[in-house]
Amino acid sequence: MIKLSKAFENKKAFIAFLTAGDPDLETTEKLIYSMAENGVDLIEIGIPFSDPIAEGTVIQEADLRALENGTTTEKIFDMVERIRPNVSIPLVFMTYCNVIFGYGTDRFVQRCQQIGIDGLIVPDVPYEEKAELQPYCKKYGLELVSLVAPTSKDRIKKIAADAEGFLYIVSSLGVTGVRSEIKTDIGEIVELARAASDIPCAVGFGISTPEQASAMCEKADGIIIGSAIVRIIAKYGRDSIAPVTEYIRSIADSVHK
Amino acid sequence: MSKGRFGIHGGQYIPETLMNAVNDLEKAYEYYKNDEQFNRELTELYNEYAGRPSLLYYAEKMTKDLGGAKIYLKREDLNHTGSHKVNNALGQALLAKKMGKTRLIAETGAGQHGVATATVAALMGMECEIYMGKVDCERQALNVYRMELLGAKVHPVTSGTMTLKDAVNETFREWVSRIDDTHYVLGSVMGPHPFPTIVRDFQAVISREIKSQILEKEGRLPDAVIACVGGGSNAIGAFYNFIEDKGVRLIGCEAAGLGVDNPKNAATMANGRLGIFHGMKSYFCQDEFGQIAPVYSISAGLDYPGIGPEHAYLKDSGRAEYVPVTDEEAVNAFEYLSRTEGIIPAIESSHAVAYAMKLAPAMPNDKIIVINISGRGDKDVAAIARYRGVDIHD
């Protein structure tokens, strides 16, 4: 197991997301290698779900494409198992609770441990329902990432105090997707979190440009980019490795400058 | 175990962004449910606006024709807006208003909940936006126009299977985007706590009335109460005040579409397994990897891959029974009740009528069955005509 905090060691962290199996698992594999080699510090591998209620249209459609071409949790496990020996940065799964529960939570998390997945991000499991996953994560040594949102207010302290890996700050109201402007006072959320814990804070939802990335890195310990990457994959399909790599480099440069 | 549990079911499996919204809703509801003024206003709306109490009608011709148990129909179809959905819409809109919300959003399947929400929004001077699967917009076009007439904006949902589950997804996505002034009027006894409890309490007026009406007419409780279940709001409303009366059989009729063994069905209790979706732990139709299954029913209102957590618990505890009813059986019942009693039931409610038609003849004639006619069938006439191959220009 690699600690998720490794992504934040001596630098700001660039966390990248992609949907496994979009357009196919072979391309996902190549994209993961490219991300790891081109400045990404932690990769969120999305296991597609039929009904991803926290996602905007870009990731919804990616999930659908992946499921339609026959991607399953089992095949994603096999892909990760294959690539893990060649990738040294932390890898986490991002998925919805029923994907884990439906597979059998104990069996799912055990399999994560076996193939070298270091943590889980599950947007429909809030603080109150952590008992659904946390005991299994503890048992198998995975870190369960907690999220805070602009509406969290009085909840931030207790969530941060109990968080593992890094704290995922949802930048804006709404679902995932590219935004031209992020209006939330991220600095204030980070401050509240820091009062309760020294856990690294990464901001996600809506970030797409190098300018946004470096602005957010001034307030937090790292940034998460999903939809902007998935949008390139949607456009170029199996030929997306070059354009994704180019995009990743531009973000990595602004995060690590 | 977290809040809002029915046995192992229920809970609050939702994004963090919504947690304070559901916590605020819970606090407001805990306060207002015991507030005299709130209850007085709600009762006045029920009685003076929605036309409650609804009739408990002795279906004499149907009883004699089937030749078994005595059949009563709880006429929720006679409510203003034509279904039981108005009970919940009035309650939640009043609650939202007290909380200072000015905008209502809701999902709808058949359109009955959308119409009820649009209606109360018009009455209370609130903004209203309804999310409805594109497939459902097409099969219930009349209800789309009704909602627009009432001043609501209807968003056809084009994601996923374009039916009720996708409409719920989209309404959650909208709520996450705009919380401050907006209340999500969830239409069934599902979703995260406190919705299953709030909706149940507002619908429990159905069984409260059935109980006093049947005691007045028959001097005793019924032997069975039958209702259709999608998410399960009319059923829980019809069951709730009988749960402690162990002699009353509670029977939920779920949509078996083309048959429980055919992939085209929505029979969650027959085919689903335990899962976590739409904010709750309950039974869901899903594949081996937890992907939610595309379901099917002729009835847009029952075309849902899950069921409310309290029903899941009533099933686990054995207190209620759940039976599958096919499209064909429901359509036959739709036509039967129309011809026999001059009452055109909603295709959803027709699932309950269909099961009663099997059950009643097998019971002695000193037994009593109550069927909850959750809605009226005007909205379904065009679809039934299509089903029968009749071309009417609607």
Side-chain angles (χ1 to χ4, degrees):
Chain A
M1 290 292 127
I2 306 171
K3 286 277 166 203
L4 305 191
S5 57
K6 187 186 166 211
F8 299 83
E9 265 168 20
N10 308 318
K11 64 178 181 306
K12 300 288 181 176
F14 171 23
I15 299 171
F17 169 91
L18 82 176
T19 300
D22 172 35
D24 52 41
L25 282 170
E26 260 172 60
T27 309
T28 303
E29 193 174 321
K30 290 181 198 159
L31 286 166
I32 291 174
Y33 284 139
S34 166
M35 286 175 170
E37 285 158 15
N38 288 285
V40 171
D41 302 300
L42 187 157
I43 302 174
E44 263 186 55
I45 301 169
I47 303 181
F49 181 48
S50 54
D51 297 85
I53 64 159
E55 312 299 343
T57 47
V58 170
I59 296 176
Q60 281 176 47
E61 285 164 11
D63 281 18
L64 204 66
R65 282 193 298 273
L67 290 172
E68 274 173 358
N69 72 29
T71 305
T72 64
T73 306
E74 207 62 67
K75 291 178 186 168
I76 295 169
F77 284 152
D78 293 344
M79 182 270 293
V80 173
E81 193 164 36
R82 211 162 45 236
I83 61 159
R84 178 77 269 196
N86 313 316
V87 177
S88 58
I89 58 172
L91 298 176
V92 302
F93 275 144
M94 195 315 291
T95 194
Y96 287 80
C97 193
N98 206 49
V99 169
I100 299 169
F101 189 80
Y103 189 88
T105 306
D106 189 275
R107 206 173 131 231
F108 183 99
V109 184
Q110 185 181 28
R111 193 86 179 97
C112 287
Q113 181 201 37
Q114 288 166 354
I115 63 174
I117 285 289
D118 308 301
L120 295 178
I121 302 176
V122 190
D124 57 348
V125 176
Y127 179 83
E128 280 73 3
E129 301 293 354
K130 275 175 86 168
E132 200 64 64
L133 300 174
Q134 202 170 33
Y136 301 95
C137 288
K138 279 215 160 37
K139 182 174 167 189
Y140 295 109
L142 271 73
E143 291 177 297
L144 179 61
V145 172
S146 294
L147 294 89
V148 295
T151 50
S152 297
K153 298 182 176 122
D154 52 320
R155 297 168 53 79
I156 294 173
K157 272 191 179 177
K158 72 173 174 191
I159 294 171
D162 201 33
E164 301 164 351
F166 67 91
L167 189 67
Y168 189 134
I169 299 177
V170 175
S171 76
S172 315
L173 291 181
V175 292
T176 55
V178 171
R179 287 169 173 77
S180 55
E181 202 186 353
I182 291 166
K183 292 177 183 157
T184 308
D185 187 347
I186 302 296
E188 190 190 345
I189 298 178
V190 173
E191 215 170 282
L192 284 169
R194 293 240 164 91
S197 163
D198 53 9
I199 192 158
C201 296
V203 184
F205 279 43
I207 301 171
S208 64
T209 66
E211 293 73 30
Q212 285 174 319
S214 64
M216 283 299 152
C217 281
E218 279 169 27
K219 295 169 183 165
D221 305 306
I223 53 120
I224 304 155
I225 296 189
S227 297
I229 295 169
V230 174
R231 205 165 51 173
I232 299 172
I233 299 170
K235 187 172 173 192
Y236 295 97
R238 313 184 95 191
D239 301 322
S240 59
I241 291 88
V244 167
T245 303
E246 189 189 340
Y247 174 74
I248 292 291
R249 281 191 186 140
S250 72
I251 299 292
D253 285 348
S254 73
V255 171
H256 297 143
K257 71 182 175 213
Chain B
M1 208 69 102
S2 65
K3 283 191 285 191
R5 293 285 173 170
F6 304 91
I8 60 167
H9 306 282
Q12 295 180 301
Y13 300 88
I14 47 170
E16 168 61 24
T17 308
L18 290 176
M19 280 308 298
N20 265 329
V22 296
N23 287 341
D24 289 349
L25 179 63
E26 183 190 17
K27 265 182 236 143
Y29 181 64
E30 285 303 315
Y31 174 79
Y32 284 110
K33 76 174 185 188
N34 300 314
D35 180 60
E36 223 173 278
Q37 172 75 15
F38 179 86
N39 284 298
R40 200 164 45 237
E41 284 175 49
L42 184 60
T43 302
E44 192 176 321
L45 286 166
Y46 277 179
N47 296 349
E48 302 301 319
Y49 186 70
R52 303 208 69 87
S54 69
L55 297 176
L56 185 69
Y57 165 74
Y58 170 40
E60 190 175 0
K61 231 180 127 206
M62 182 178 176
T63 300
K64 290 192 171 142
D65 182 57
L66 293 172
K70 203 168 177 183
I71 298 169
Y72 281 89
L73 307 179
K74 178 59 172 169
R75 300 289 309 277
E76 290 296 300
D77 58 313
L78 294 178
N79 295 340
H80 178 46
T81 76
S83 82
H84 72 291
K85 293 292 186 189
V86 75
N87 304 331
N88 170 50
L90 281 169
Q92 284 199 47
L94 190 62
L95 184 61
K97 200 150 192 179
K98 302 271 181 203
M99 291 173 74
K101 306 284 180 185
T102 56
R103 178 174 175 262
L104 303 178
I105 57 172
E107 88 293 346
T108 196
Q112 296 301 82
H113 176 58
V115 166
T117 305
T119 299
V120 303
L123 175 71
M124 298 190 188
M126 300 168 91
E127 252 185 275
C128 183
E129 296 190 33
I130 304 294
Y131 294 80
M132 185 170 183
K134 192 165 165 280
V135 168
D136 293 339
C137 288
E138 281 157 17
R139 53 181 169 175
Q140 300 286 353
L142 196 62
N143 270 343
V144 174
Y145 193 68
R146 282 171 83 194
M147 290 182 264
E148 288 167 353
L149 270 179
L150 292 159
K153 185 165 172 21
V154 180
H155 300 273
V157 175
T158 54
S159 57
T161 54
M162 304 190 210
T163 58
L164 181 54
K165 112 182 137 69
D166 311 287
V168 174
N169 292 343
E170 215 50 44
T171 318
F172 269 116
R173 290 182 184 123
E174 172 60 23
W175 201 26
V176 176
S177 308
R178 192 167 158 187
I179 300 172
D180 263 4
D181 65 345
T182 300
H183 174 68
Y184 178 5
V185 185
L186 229 161
S188 194
V189 284
M190 47 155 294
H193 174 72
F195 284 107
T197 300
I198 291 182
V199 179
R200 179 252 277 152
D201 289 353
F202 289 142
Q203 292 295 0
V205 65
I206 301 172
S207 51
R208 208 155 54 231
E209 288 177 7
I210 295 174
K211 205 167 196 174
S212 70
Q213 288 166 324
I214 200 80
L215 286 172
E216 192 176 310
K217 286 173 195 286
E218 293 283 347
R220 71 175 188 88
L221 296 180
D223 298 287
V225 176
I226 305 178
C228 63
V229 280
S233 72
N234 92 83
I236 212 78
F239 293 172
Y240 188 64
N241 288 285
F242 293 110
I243 289 175
E244 299 303 318
D245 303 309
K246 298 284 155 49
V248 182
R249 279 176 73 185
L250 306 175
I251 305 170
C253 304
E254 54 177 7
L258 303 185
V260 278
D261 301 322
N262 187 298
K264 297 194 85 165
N265 77 79
T268 307
M269 291 299 203
N271 292 332
R273 64 188 172 99
L274 194 61
I276 294 169
F277 181 50
H278 279 163
M280 59 186 170
K281 185 177 276 185
S282 188
Y283 294 110
F284 295 95
C285 296
Q286 55 185 306
D287 73 6
E288 60 179 309
F289 295 111
Q291 306 293 344
I292 303 303
V295 291
Y296 162 81
S297 163
I298 188 174
S299 146
L302 305 182
D303 198 352
Y304 182 70
I307 191 159
E310 193 163 8
H311 284 293
Y313 175 63
L314 290 174
K315 182 190 188 229
D316 288 357
S317 67
R319 180 62 193 93
E321 315 155 49
Y322 295 85
V323 295
V325 173
T326 63
D327 282 2
E328 180 65 19
E329 292 170 319
V331 171
N332 287 336
F334 179 93
E335 293 167 337
Y336 176 84
L337 196 67
S338 303
R339 280 196 314 269
T340 312
E341 292 289 349
I343 294 168
I344 303 178
I347 188 64
E348 287 77 22
S349 324
S350 300
H351 286 71
V353 176
Y355 189 71
M357 287 165 66
K358 287 192 216 172
L359 185 66
M363 290 169 79
N365 56 16
D366 61 341
K367 299 289 184 186
I368 300 168
I369 289 177
V370 176
I371 311 171
N372 195 35
I373 305 297
S374 55
R376 68 175 182 228
D378 309 46
K379 67 178 176 59
D380 300 308
V381 170
I384 301 298
R386 272 199 300 277
Y387 184 84
R388 290 300 188 209
V390 179
D391 183 28
I392 54 168
H393 300 281
D394 60 310

